[in-house]
């Protein structure tokens, strides 16, 4: 209900302010008989921005402080000794009142004091909501009037709107960056807690993974060596990229340079369908088809390949990733100007010479980006590995043997009744942080490659 | 045709002075009833023309009349355009170049092209010019390649400006410099026929003079076709001129005759600036 009110208020404010700015500008233009600096749409947009902004700020402040304000209010309604209770008990007391207030009911009988507090809290909430709505509307109107008063013949509304657009764009990019930072920080806190149980050295350089080991009567909490998992991840995604990069790139080159446009229009969507198949289905495919096939193929040439192994998971993951690389690279190759291709063909180069010498270098930054995206996908992929890699966290060099990966282990550690104070669960955060750092590193490397390339060619 | 071939041997050695024509010259490129379609739309209508060896032929005509389109028929660059279809016969040295078993790659090495829009590769200046010689394996060692690169740049009148930055990207040059880079790139492969699509459109008078000198020099050994919007340039550099209008070849003949005594009213109107 609140959300509806807020949306309605903002919409009304938007329409009203735009209309007022627009009509005032029109009127001024008509009265002066001369052309204004900016067209009426810009004046309308300018007034609308200044009407919405203060209202949004009010709502934003409310969102920030609403919780602590209502908590404080509830405490003030409860008997004074409540606030001297332990932190957890205060929180649960507040929670009980809120539940009663919203009508969900609580465990056990509601105390009369609690019931009264709940009722008061409901009133408080209604009051505050109305107050905030009124404040937002008031601030919005003030902004509206102020902005409207600034409209004049030489007023540069167009430039102001441009500035607002720019700030809006910056804010959006900031959200992406802040989210990334936030994710990293939330991981770090829990990961640090994990490192209070296990030495970082033992984690990062340990070669043995056995978290369930709990020797009775001693402090030992198990072995948390990262290396077997890391190696598993690297091996599986490495095999996947070995499959996906050549196949994906080649098919992209075929589609963009050799195929008739009619062929391309049919084939490209089909390849993209591959990307839409849920990964768990790829998991079945690996388990039921590819694994046994690789195993019997290995028998034929005298190599012992296990049905669930790094190889099986890697190959199937590679197939899953092909469309990422081929589709993105095809788009990028297609964007290389035809004049470039013609220049090379016109000098008597063959198609393949043209592709190797001109098209691929020109498209390289984009191709690196596509490969990088695909690699990140491979590193983060979980379902295929759960089913097809054998889930065996042992450090083995042979890709034909079962392995386990970082992602699978995170799932293992967090499923079941996870207790977020034990190292068995907390290790998941350290693992997540490691994954995060890995993909970050990959990005940096790719950025470096792209930059080097740019210096060379553009 | 027979008479023409008989004369081949003797005319190949002599080079007539600029501006004069030699009716007995060997025919290098010859087209018969060439029509070009972009999808459903017809852009060229039954063009038949003979282009003599060791001379310069200029194509003139209003914008959009099909000069570039026709030029691309001669080295089959129209193949690279989706939906473009060419009918009729185009012969190079008496050989049909649209034959299915013809080696297009070799054809384009023999018939070089300077495109209307400069299109340097996103590589260094050196690599741009060395591109053709490298893929055709024209040189035995680096020194020979260096020699080709330097002399091509010199002949295109660009060397002095870029000699200190051969390792800088060709795309970083100015428009006119890029145009000369593309000319240097085209002559570095030593084509027998050179198709130049408005090679001086972005050049100042001095650079234009250098390119015209180059064309004069190349004419001694090669066949040159140049598209130009400058009547003076056509008159200065070419021995034969062809006038196109709305996809049709209106008139072709010796440059002197076209500019002093055109047979067609349309040609007359165009060269005197009454339309186009
Ligand atoms: N790739 C293409 N697809 C479709 N139509 C084309 C294409 N290229 C050229 N045309 C059409 O063919 C006609 C001839 O074009 P062309 O480029 O040969 O003209 P032009 O004589 O070279 O003109 P300009 O002097 O402006 O360069 C024009 O009507 C043009 O619209
Ligand atoms: Mg043209």
């Amino acid at each position: 209900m609140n959300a509806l009110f807020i949306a309605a208020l903002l919409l009304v404010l938007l329409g009203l302010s735009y209309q007022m700015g627009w009509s005032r500008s029109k009127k001024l233009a008509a009265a002066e008989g001369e052309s204004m600096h900016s067209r009426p749409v810009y004046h309308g947009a300018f007034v609308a921005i200044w009407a919405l902004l203060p209202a949004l700020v009010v709502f934003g402040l409310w969102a920030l402080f609403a919780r602590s304000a209502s908590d404080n209010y509830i405490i003030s309604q409860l008997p004074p000794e409540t606030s001297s209770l332990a932190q957890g008990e205060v929180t649960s007391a507040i929670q009980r009142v809120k539940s009663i207030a919203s009508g969900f009911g609580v465990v056990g009988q509601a105390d009369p004091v609690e019931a009264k507090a709940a009722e008061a809290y409901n009133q408080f909430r209604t009051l505050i909501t109305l107050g905030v709505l009124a404040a937002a509307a008031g601030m919005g109107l003030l902004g509206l009037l102020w902005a409207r008063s600034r409209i004049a013949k030489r007023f540069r509304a167009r430039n102001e709107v441009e500035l607002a657009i720019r700030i809006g764009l910056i804010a959006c990019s900031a959200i992406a960056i802040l989210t990334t930072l936030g994710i990293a920080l939330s991981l770090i806190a829990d990961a640090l807690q994990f490192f209070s149980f296990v030495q970082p050295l033992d984690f990062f350089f340990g070669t043995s993974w056995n978290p369930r080991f709990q020797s009775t009567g001693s402090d030992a909490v198990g072995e948390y060596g990262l290396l077997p998992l890391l190696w598993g991840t690297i091996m599986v995604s490495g095999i996947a990229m070995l499959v996906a990069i050549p196949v994906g790139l080649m098919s992209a080159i075929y589609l963009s340079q050799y195929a008739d446009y009619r062929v391309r229009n049919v084939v490209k969507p089909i390849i993209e369908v591959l990307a839409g198949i849920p990964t768990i289905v790829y998991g079945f495919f690996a388990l039921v088809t590819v694994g046994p096939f690789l195993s019997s193929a290995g028998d034929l040439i005298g190599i012992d390949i296990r049905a669930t192994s790094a190889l099986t998971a890697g190959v199937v993951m590679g197939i899953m990733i092909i469309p990422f690389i081929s589709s993105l690279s095809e788009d990028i190759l297609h964007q290389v100007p035809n004049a470039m291709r013609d220049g090379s063909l016109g000098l008597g180069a063959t198609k393949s010479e043209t592709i190797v010498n001109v098209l691929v270098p020109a498209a390289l930054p984009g191709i690196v980006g596509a490969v990088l995206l695909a690699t990140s996908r491979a590193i983060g992929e979980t379902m295929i590995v759960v089913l097809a890699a054998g889930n065996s966290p042992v450090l083995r060099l042979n890709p034909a043997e079962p392995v386990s990966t970082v992602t699978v282990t995170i799932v293992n550690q967090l499923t079941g009744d996870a207790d977020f104070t034990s190292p068995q669960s907390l290790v998941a955060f350290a693992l997540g942080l490691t994954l995060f750092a890995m993909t970050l590193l990959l990005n940096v490397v790719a950025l470096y490659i792209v930059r080097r390339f740019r210096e060379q060619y553009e | 045709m027979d008479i023409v071939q008989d004369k081949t041997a003797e005319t190949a050695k002599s080079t007539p002075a600029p501006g004069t024509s030699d009716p007995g010259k060997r025919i290098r490129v010859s087209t018969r009833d060439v029509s070009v379609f972009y999808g459903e739309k017809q852009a060229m209508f039954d063009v038949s023309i003979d282009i003599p060896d060791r001379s310069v032929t200029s194509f003139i005509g209003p914008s959009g009349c099909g000069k570039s389109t026709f030029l691309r028929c001669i080295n089959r660059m129209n193949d690279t355009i989706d939906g473009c279809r060419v009918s009729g016969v185009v012969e190079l040295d008496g050989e049909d170049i649209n034959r299915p078993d013809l080696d297009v790659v070799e054809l384009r090495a023999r018939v070089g092209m300077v495109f209307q829009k400069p299109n340097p590769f996103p590589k260094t200046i050196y690599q741009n010019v060395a591109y053709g010689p490298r893929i055709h394996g024209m040189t035995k060692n680096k020194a020979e390649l260096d020699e080709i690169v330097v002399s091509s740049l010199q002949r295109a009148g660009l060397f002095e400006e870029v000699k200190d930055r051969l390792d800088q990207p060709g795309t970083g040059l100015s428009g006119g410099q890029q145009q000369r880079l593309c000319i240097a790139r085209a002559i570095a492969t030593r084509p027998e026929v050179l198709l130049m699509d408005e090679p001086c459109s972005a050049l100042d008078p001095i650079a234009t003079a250098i390119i015209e000198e180059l064309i004069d020099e190349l004419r001694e050994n090669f066949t040159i076709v140049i598209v130009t919007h400058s009547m003076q340039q056509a008159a200065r550099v070419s021995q034969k001129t062809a006038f196109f209008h709305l996809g049709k070849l209106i008139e072709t003949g010796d440059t002197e005759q076209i500019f002093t005594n055109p047979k067609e009213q349309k040609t007359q109107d165009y060269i005197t600036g009454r339309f186009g």
Side-chain angles (χ1 to χ4, degrees):
Chain A
M1 203 55 176
N2 272 348
L4 218 62
F5 273 131
I6 294 173
L9 177 74
L10 289 178
L11 269 179
V12 168
L13 211 54
L14 177 75
L16 187 73
S17 54
Y18 183 86
Q19 170 59 27
M20 283 179 78
W22 188 83
S23 60
R24 178 167 172 91
S25 160
K26 273 272 181 205
K27 220 174 280 164
L28 259 181
E32 305 253 344
E34 270 177 81
S35 67
M36 309 271 288
H37 173 274
S38 306
R39 284 185 293 134
V41 279
Y42 287 113
H43 287 119
F46 171 74
V47 177
I49 288 167
W50 277 107
L52 286 189
L53 211 61
L56 284 175
V57 168
V58 170
F59 288 130
L61 287 177
W62 181 32
L64 276 183
F65 296 112
R67 193 189 164 88
S68 64
S70 55
D71 283 3
N72 282 336
Y73 181 78
I74 290 171
I75 290 176
S76 74
Q77 292 303 305
L78 291 174
E81 60 269 22
T82 321
S83 52
S84 54
L85 288 171
Q87 177 64 41
E89 289 177 50
V90 176
T91 319
S92 66
I94 293 171
Q95 202 48 54
R96 273 176 74 88
V97 175
K98 281 187 180 169
S99 305
I100 297 166
S102 59
F104 283 139
V106 282
V107 196
Q109 194 63 45
D111 201 83
V113 185
E114 283 177 334
K116 221 175 103 233
E119 201 171 310
Y121 172 64
N122 265 341
Q123 276 170 9
F124 170 79
R125 252 206 344 196
T126 320
L127 213 68
I128 284 283
T129 308
L130 284 178
V132 168
L133 280 175
M139 293 301 284
L141 278 176
L142 275 183
L144 188 160
L145 291 176
W146 176 77
R148 184 168 170 272
S149 73
R150 285 187 62 191
I151 295 178
K153 202 184 96 202
R154 294 311 306 160
F155 177 62
R156 300 180 185 171
R158 193 176 175 203
N159 307 23
E160 300 268 336
V161 170
E162 194 64 31
L163 182 72
I165 287 174
R166 196 165 125 197
I167 292 173
L169 296 179
I170 290 174
C172 288
S173 349
I175 288 177
I177 294 169
L178 290 179
T179 314
T180 315
L181 272 181
I183 290 175
L185 285 178
S186 70
L187 286 176
I188 282 174
D190 288 299
L192 282 181
Q193 210 184 332
F194 168 73
F195 286 125
S196 67
F197 291 99
V198 178
Q199 288 292 315
L201 272 184
D202 291 344
F203 175 70
F204 287 113
F205 298 103
T207 54
S208 157
W209 177 266
N210 188 9
R212 290 183 209 289
F213 175 74
Q214 204 121 25
S215 59
T216 39
S218 80
D219 292 345
V221 285
E223 291 174 289
Y224 297 91
L226 172 68
L227 288 183
L229 309 178
L230 200 60
W231 175 243
T233 293
I234 290 173
M235 198 154 56
V236 172
S237 38
I239 293 170
M241 297 323 285
L242 280 183
V243 172
I245 293 179
V247 178
L249 217 53
M250 297 294 169
S251 63
I253 288 173
Y254 169 73
L255 283 181
S256 73
Q257 302 302 321
Y258 288 88
D260 195 270
Y261 65 99
R262 282 163 298 201
V263 175
R264 183 172 59 236
N265 289 349
V266 175
V267 172
K268 206 177 168 209
I270 294 178
I271 291 183
E272 279 165 2
V273 164
L274 275 180
I277 299 175
T279 54
I280 188 81
V281 176
Y282 279 105
F284 298 155
F285 177 56
L287 198 62
V288 177
T289 312
V290 178
F293 170 76
L294 285 177
S295 171
S296 56
D299 278 346
L300 274 183
I301 51 172
I303 302 175
D304 185 24
I305 299 177
R306 303 279 296 271
T308 55
S309 65
L311 194 63
T312 310
V315 166
V316 175
M317 198 193 278
I319 295 171
M320 178 198 83
I321 283 168
I322 287 171
F324 282 83
I325 296 185
S326 75
S327 187
L328 285 173
S329 306
E330 204 267 340
D331 284 343
I332 294 153
L333 281 171
H334 212 71
Q335 279 164 16
V336 177
N338 276 345
M340 210 94 94
R341 183 194 64 183
D342 290 351
S344 172
L345 293 177
L347 287 169
T350 63
K351 263 188 172 170
S352 60
E353 283 165 347
T354 302
I355 288 162
V356 171
N357 291 318
V358 176
L359 292 177
V360 171
L364 196 64
I367 291 174
V368 170
V371 167
L372 185 82
L373 191 72
T375 314
S376 305
R377 260 314 289 262
I379 290 176
E381 173 49 39
T382 314
M383 281 342 270
I384 293 175
V385 193
V386 166
L387 289 181
N391 195 9
S392 150
V394 180
L395 193 57
R396 293 189 185 104
L397 284 183
N398 185 356
E401 297 272 341
V403 293
S404 183
T405 66
V406 178
T407 49
V408 170
T409 311
I410 292 179
V411 174
N412 285 345
Q413 296 310 110
L414 289 186
T415 39
D417 31 319
D419 161 16
F420 282 98
T421 52
S422 73
Q424 279 82 1
S425 305
L426 285 172
V427 69
F429 294 96
L431 290 173
L433 201 64
T434 313
L435 270 188
F436 185 82
M438 267 171 81
T439 39
L440 198 70
L441 189 75
L442 258 176
N443 272 291
V444 171
V445 169
L447 218 63
Y448 172 76
I449 292 173
V450 169
R451 181 140 342 125
R452 247 193 73 135
F453 165 82
R454 284 247 168 88
E455 276 167 9
Q456 217 175 334
Y457 286 106
E458 255 166 53
Chain B
M1 204 53 178
D2 286 348
I3 306 160
V4 171
Q5 298 223 311
D6 286 343
K7 294 218 172 191
T8 304
E10 54 200 77
T11 52
K13 281 177 206 100
S14 66
T15 41
T20 62
S21 67
D22 178 354
K25 236 182 215 306
R26 183 168 76 112
I27 299 303
R28 198 73 206 265
V29 178
S30 143
T31 74
R32 290 292 170 265
D33 297 327
V34 169
S35 296
V36 183
F37 301 83
Y38 289 114
E40 294 296 299
K41 193 177 139 254
Q42 186 164 5
M44 304 294 312
F45 300 84
D46 302 325
V47 176
S48 301
I49 191 174
D50 288 334
I51 295 170
D53 191 21
R54 298 178 193 226
S55 69
V56 180
T57 304
S58 60
F59 288 179
I60 59 171
S63 183
C65 67
K67 304 179 297 293
S68 303
T69 302
F70 187 63
L71 209 59
R72 282 199 301 265
C73 294
I74 302 174
N75 66 348
R76 281 186 57 182
M77 280 308 287
N78 280 327
D79 291 10
T80 64
I81 298 173
D82 269 343
C84 181
R85 193 162 59 77
V86 179
S87 71
V89 181
V90 182
E91 286 182 350
L92 174 68
D93 296 333
E95 252 191 304
D96 180 5
I97 65 164
N98 288 311
R99 245 179 28 222
D101 64 331
L102 180 110
D103 181 0
V104 189
V105 171
E106 195 209 325
L107 171 77
R108 292 188 187 134
R110 289 173 58 195
V111 183
M113 184 164 205
V114 177
F115 292 83
Q116 180 165 4
K117 265 203 327 228
N119 55 350
F121 302 130
K123 298 174 182 290
T124 67
I125 294 171
Y126 184 95
Q127 287 170 331
N128 261 283
V129 183
Y131 189 85
R134 269 188 184 146
I135 55 174
H136 297 303
M138 286 167 57
T139 55
K140 283 194 284 296
N141 52 40
K142 179 92 167 67
E144 272 182 46
L145 189 62
D146 287 351
E147 155 64 22
I148 290 188
V149 170
V150 170
S151 74
S152 303
L153 285 169
Q154 271 167 344
R155 292 163 79 194
L158 184 63
F159 186 67
E160 284 306 312
E161 286 159 68
V162 299
K163 64 180 176 210
D164 300 324
R165 45 176 175 145
L166 290 178
D167 55 348
Q168 309 255 309
T171 37
L173 295 175
S174 79
Q177 288 173 328
Q178 291 189 8
Q179 205 161 33
R180 282 173 284 159
L181 178 63
C182 291
I183 293 171
R185 188 175 73 182
I187 59 175
T189 45
R190 308 221 174 94
E192 303 161 29
V193 178
L194 185 59
L195 312 172
M196 304 175 100
D197 200 344
E198 297 185 38
C200 303
S201 60
L203 299 188
D204 63 89
I206 296 171
T208 303
I210 294 176
I211 298 302
E212 288 179 4
E213 247 170 64
L214 168 71
I215 292 172
D216 255 358
E217 174 204 321
L218 291 173
R219 178 168 63 86
E220 288 171 17
N221 295 305
F222 306 119
T223 307
I224 301 193
V225 183
I226 176 173
V227 173
T228 176
H229 280 293
S230 155
M231 298 302 117
Q232 289 86 345
Q233 184 170 51
R236 278 196 303 265
V237 300
S238 69
Q239 288 77 55
K240 284 196 82 168
T241 297
F243 171 62
F244 291 86
H245 182 56
L246 294 178
K248 295 195 178 81
L249 176 64
I250 303 296
E251 182 171 358
T252 172
D254 291 344
T255 301
E256 219 176 273
Q257 174 249 315
I258 295 275
F259 280 99
T260 53
N261 183 23
K263 294 194 189 82
E264 301 286 331
Q265 185 59 38
K266 275 190 186 138
T267 319
Q268 170 86 28
D269 290 349
Y270 182 72
I271 57 177
T272 54
R274 236 166 285 166
F275 80 90

